[in-house]
Structures are given as C-alpha cells and as structure tokens.
Amino acid sequence: MTMSAVMSLSLAPPQFLVSMDNRAKTLAAVKHSKAFCIHYLNQHQQDLSNHFARPGGDRFTGIPHRIGQVGVPVLEGVIAYVECRLAEILPGGDHSIVIGDAVGGDVPGGQPLAYYHGGYRQIS
C-alpha cells in the first residue's frame, strides 16, 4: 500500500507507527505475517507509488524486489527502507494504528518522492 502517514515512534527501542484502513488487505497481511517493510521511494518512482495505491491483485508481480530478513518483500531502487516486526495493533476509529519494531534496513540514498497538495513534488 502507498502510505502518507508514517512516523518514527521511539528510538529506544527503535519503533515505527503506521496507520492502515481496517478494510485494507495489507492490514490483514501484516496481521498474518507479523511483519512489514516501510519503503521510502525515490523521486522517479511515481508509477510505483501509484501502483501500490490501487487495490487488488498480486502487487509484487513484475516489481523488482527480494524477500527481506523478516520474510516480507523489500523493493529495489528505493532511497531507504525499514524492516519491522509487528509489535502491536491498536484501534483508531476506521483505521488501525500499527506499531513495528525496526529490526533492519538500509539507506542507499537518492532524492525522495514527495506528495503534497494533491500532486507529486520534487524536493530541492
């Protein structure tokens, strides 16, 4: 899924917080796998952002990726990623607050993809 609400929750232990719609198939997948990966896309990956924003189908067919240390896909070509083990899911109205313990990741670098005021932007 493409997400606009991701935040660092804690430094000790390192944790991240994401919010997911209760109807999202990704939320069901996270509950089942007990893991997820946060990807920070590069400025040239608008198509990838749009691809994961659409519902349905096998999302990873034809998308360059590998299986990471927590057993979930890690996309190729991103500027950074964080692999998380599920720590807790809390209710948040029509969404769930998903907390993950960061267990790995990397920052290959590059220019980030930004979405602001209804469109993709470049950060300079």
Side-chain angles (χ1 to χ4, degrees):
M1 77 185 333
T2 296
M3 299 168 67
S4 58
V6 175
M7 66 178 265
S8 172
L9 178 63
S10 169
L11 294 176
Q15 291 184 314
F16 281 80
L17 180 152
V18 297
S19 176
M20 296 184 187
D21 189 306
N22 290 330
R23 300 166 297 171
K25 290 182 181 180
T26 300
L27 178 59
V30 168
K31 287 178 179 178
H32 176 75
S33 68
K34 307 283 191 247
F36 59 96
C37 187
I38 300 166
H39 299 88
Y40 296 88
L41 303 182
N42 78 48
Q43 66 183 356
H44 303 294
Q45 292 180 309
Q46 292 178 21
D47 289 342
L48 192 59
S49 174
N50 291 332
H51 171 79
F52 282 101
R54 290 188 288 273
D58 179 355
R59 306 304 262 310
F60 294 95
T61 298
I63 303 296
H65 69 281
R66 63 180 171 77
I67 300 302
Q69 69 180 18
V70 296
V72 298
V74 175
L75 300 176
E76 300 295 331
V78 297
I79 66 167
Y81 68 91
V82 180
E83 293 186 71
C84 296
R85 286 202 180 91
L86 180 61
E88 190 170 2
I89 298 178
L90 302 168
D94 63 354
H95 279 61
S96 290
I97 300 162
V98 180
I99 299 170
D101 293 323
V103 297
D106 194 14
V107 184
Q111 293 298 315
L113 178 63
Y115 190 83
Y116 178 73
H117 274 226
Y120 292 103
R121 311 280 188 235
Q122 289 191 359
I123 299 173
S124 55

